[in-house]
Amino acid sequence: MPDMIEQIHSRFVRALQGAFGDAVADTDPLIAPAGNLKFGDYQANVAMSLGKRLKRNPREVADEIVANLDKQGLFDDVEVAGPGFINLRLCADAIAGELAVLSGDDHLGIARPAQRQTIVVDYSGPNVAKEMHVGHIRSTIIGDCIARVLAMQGHDVVRQNHLGDWGTQFGMLIEHLLDKEQTFPDVRQLEDYVIQDLETFYRDAKRKFDTDPEFAIRARKRVVALQAGDERTLKLWKMIVDESRTHFSDVYERLNVNLNNGDLKPESAYNDALVDIVNGLADAGLLQESQGARVVFAPGFEDADGHPLPMIVQKSDGGYLYATTDLAAARHRIDERGAARIIYVTDARQSQHFAMVFATLRMVGWAGPHVRLDHVPFGTILGKDNRPFKTRQGGTVKLIDLLDEAEQRAAAIINQKNPDLPDGKREAIAHAVGIGALKYADLSNDRVKDYVFDWDRMLAFDGNTAPYLQNAYVRIRSIFRKAHEQDIDTSAIDASPIVLGNPPERAIALQLLQFPRMVDVVADSLEPHRLCNYLYDLATAYHKFYEACPVLTADNVATRNSRLRLSALAATTLRTGLNLLGIDVNEQM
Ligand code: ARG
């Protein structure tokens, strides 16, 4: 479906051609939605750069383009402003016509990609034997949103949860568990240990490892036993992994995140491939020795002193590293899963790691030029003191505690705002609002920046928040409930003409037309906050429309039906957009 921008675009391509001939054959007219609706609906920004290129006054260039522009049926008013902006005001009928097409499309006008791709989104990736804490929430939420957006476009999305379930730390953890079993024969069955215990064990084991040399030796031997597949060691390891996986699943379910057991592909899954990785690098002539370790030097990477920075793939004791596993994982994804693109969502501190992994994959040829590799970095969540977010006691904030508090706070607000809600619904609404607010606060910030965690702000019903958007949806749904109560027939509104008689109606219509493009923008930039801003603008435009344009009490049936149709489309767009963010809506709140 050609969207509005494309229609404007092609008119301008012809105007450019008419004014300047073949010299401008592939010049982009630079069509964009207007920054301010006062000046127009869209604008064309080509005259400034073209003026420079043709060594002519950009305003004159703009005038000439406008003189050659076919306005028939599309533009009401075209004006050159400032240094050479071309402001465009569309005919109401053109907007209405375009919107009618969009509203009849069950994909809301979102274009199918020219080429459907298999895209791996690697996100969440928590570490076994550690409870999920606030540091994991960003990857989980942002990655899930990106996966949803790409799937909505029609790509074949492969979610991968690269669980940290392997490494030397398991030697010490298992050794510690075995010690405990011996010292306290009556200790609960190991199988009964829950994740909180594991976390304590982990801390205790680490302390012992750092202070008790004899334990450290045993722990290292235990790693060897684990790697060699010793039965008792493997059994304990598996128990730890299973316990952790149950915990992660619980968190995903409560967070409404689309990750399940089928998406798990933990680090240990690549163990058997690691020898091949090192051999492959050696065969390609990329492997070097550095202080007993085997490393790869990718050009352009330096340490703080300006020395070439090695990426270690095998330690002197034979052990493999995080990077080795990532090389194996990428190779698997490209060769076995057919990935045309791999997207990694981790915090910004891993940027260099991924840059080196990507460079190595290119050098050795495991990722060909047609495979796109993206690292999607994000900043840190800060407390009100502008330091990394901690509990009042200074500990790490557990994700489960955060989810509990979000729901409790949301419940308190809902109770206060709407005390008459039936009990059964109250809980579901508090869940959607609390979890939604938490996710939205994260997604609505430019992800590369740090942001300050603030309960009051994220749960406010005003401003750029989830509750504000959810409330806009509720407001629209209540119009339809009222219509039903008043026996107003809404069944035929999808077929009734859209009438854009006044500015708020125009504004909401123009905003609705932007949705498909926004989905593409997020898919391309991998920046969810752009979708948040869009939805916020949409909700705000709807709010103004609602204040200015009576719906059920409109002057005549045609106007009423048109407004109902705009309202229905706004509700669908809000719901769909929030769903892409992983946020639920309610009928009431
Ligand atoms: N487990 C890692 C961490 O906690 C994140 C894994 C990210 N994915 C990857 N392929 N390296 O930092």
Side-chain angles (χ1 to χ4, degrees), residues 292-354:
R294 310 175 91 181
V295 308
V296 176
F297 287 102
F301 292 95
E302 293 178 344
D303 64 15
D305 303 324
H307 302 304
L309 189 67
M311 183 175 83
I312 309 179
V313 292
Q314 194 171 21
K315 291 188 291 188
S316 52
D317 67 4
Y320 300 102
L321 289 105
Y322 187 53
T324 332
T325 306
D326 259 327
L327 291 172
R331 210 177 166 190
H332 167 82
R333 292 164 183 180
I334 296 165
D335 291 351
E336 313 290 323
R337 309 294 301 256
R341 185 177 178 190
I342 312 179
I343 297 170
Y344 298 84
V345 188
T346 79
D347 75 70
R349 286 170 301 184
Q350 296 196 31
S351 293
Q352 189 175 59
H353 162 76
F354 284 108

Side-chain angles (χ1 to χ4, degrees), residues 122-127 136 139 160-165 267 322 325-326 329 333 344-347 350 353-354:
D122 176 323
Y123 67 104
S124 195
N127 299 314
H136 289 111
S139 172
Q160 290 283 273
N161 193 353
H162 194 81
L163 221 60
D165 71 339
E267 290 183 10
Y322 187 53
T325 306
D326 259 327
R333 292 164 183 180
Y344 298 84
V345 188
T346 79
D347 75 70
Q350 296 196 31
H353 162 76
F354 284 108

Side-chain angles (χ1 to χ4, degrees), residues 11-280:
R11 294 271 177 120
F12 267 82
V13 168
R14 269 179 276 147
L16 281 165
Q17 183 87 14
F20 305 105
D22 288 342
V24 295
D26 38 58
T27 305
D28 183 346
L30 302 174
I31 309 299
N36 185 337
L37 286 186
K38 254 200 281 190
F39 303 120
D41 305 323
Y42 287 84
Q43 57 191 53
N45 301 332
V46 64
M48 277 73 72
S49 53
L50 190 59
K52 214 178 259 167
R53 216 177 84 200
L54 301 175
K55 299 200 171 39
R56 289 187 48 187
N57 178 342
R59 272 199 77 107
E60 278 171 35
V61 170
D63 285 336
E64 245 170 274
I65 299 172
V66 172
N68 280 276
L69 185 67
D70 169 17
K71 304 180 192 69
Q72 181 62 35
L74 189 56
F75 303 113
D76 242 1
D77 191 18
V78 178
E79 224 177 56
V80 178
F85 294 108
I86 304 172
N87 290 332
L88 305 164
R89 212 177 162 68
L90 298 170
C91 306
D93 284 350
I95 304 174
E98 189 69 21
L99 198 59
V101 177
L102 184 147
S103 87
D105 177 29
D106 56 12
H107 208 221
L108 279 177
I110 299 163
R112 300 282 172 190
Q115 212 170 9
R116 187 187 158 113
Q117 291 185 319
T118 299
I119 304 179
V120 169
V121 186
D122 176 323
Y123 67 104
S124 195
N127 299 314
V128 159
K130 291 192 195 154
E131 208 169 338
M132 277 179 95
H133 57 79
V134 66
H136 289 111
I137 196 175
R138 300 211 72 187
S139 172
T140 308
I141 292 176
I142 296 169
D144 199 52
C145 170
I146 290 173
R148 286 169 189 254
V149 168
L150 295 167
M152 175 99 200
Q153 279 190 315
H155 288 294
D156 194 358
V157 173
V158 178
R159 293 168 165 83
Q160 290 283 273
N161 193 353
H162 194 81
L163 221 60
D165 71 339
W166 199 252
T168 45
Q169 71 273 24
F170 289 98
M172 84 193 176
L173 188 60
I174 293 167
E175 196 62 29
H176 179 62
L177 285 181
L178 287 167
D179 280 3
K180 266 193 111 56
E181 202 181 32
Q182 274 160 20
T183 3
F184 309 103
D186 61 338
V187 81
R188 280 174 299 161
Q189 286 284 300
L190 284 179
E191 277 74 5
D192 286 344
Y193 289 147
V194 290
I195 188 86
Q196 278 91 343
D197 297 323
L198 283 176
E199 180 111 6
T200 318
F201 293 160
Y202 188 88
R203 265 200 302 279
D204 293 349
K206 177 92 175 83
R207 196 174 314 125
K208 252 160 80 181
F209 186 86
D210 290 338
T211 55
D212 178 352
E214 183 266 338
F215 177 79
I217 291 171
R218 281 196 282 128
R220 288 208 183 87
K221 279 199 189 134
R222 190 57 60 190
V223 178
V224 179
L226 179 64
Q227 283 165 349
D230 170 68
E231 201 180 317
R232 176 137 181 74
T233 310
L234 266 185
K235 193 176 160 227
L236 284 171
W237 172 76
K238 221 181 137 343
M239 180 206 94
I240 298 169
V241 172
D242 287 346
E243 189 55 60
S244 302
R245 279 170 53 159
T246 308
H247 163 71
F248 300 147
S249 297
D250 290 348
V251 171
Y252 296 145
E253 197 178 310
R254 281 190 66 187
L255 263 180
N256 187 19
V257 158
N258 285 332
L259 275 175
N260 54 44
N261 284 339
D263 307 318
L264 274 177
K265 185 85 179 168
E267 290 183 10
S268 63
Y270 299 102
N271 284 350
D272 293 342
L274 301 178
V275 181
D276 258 5
I277 291 295
V278 175
N279 289 341

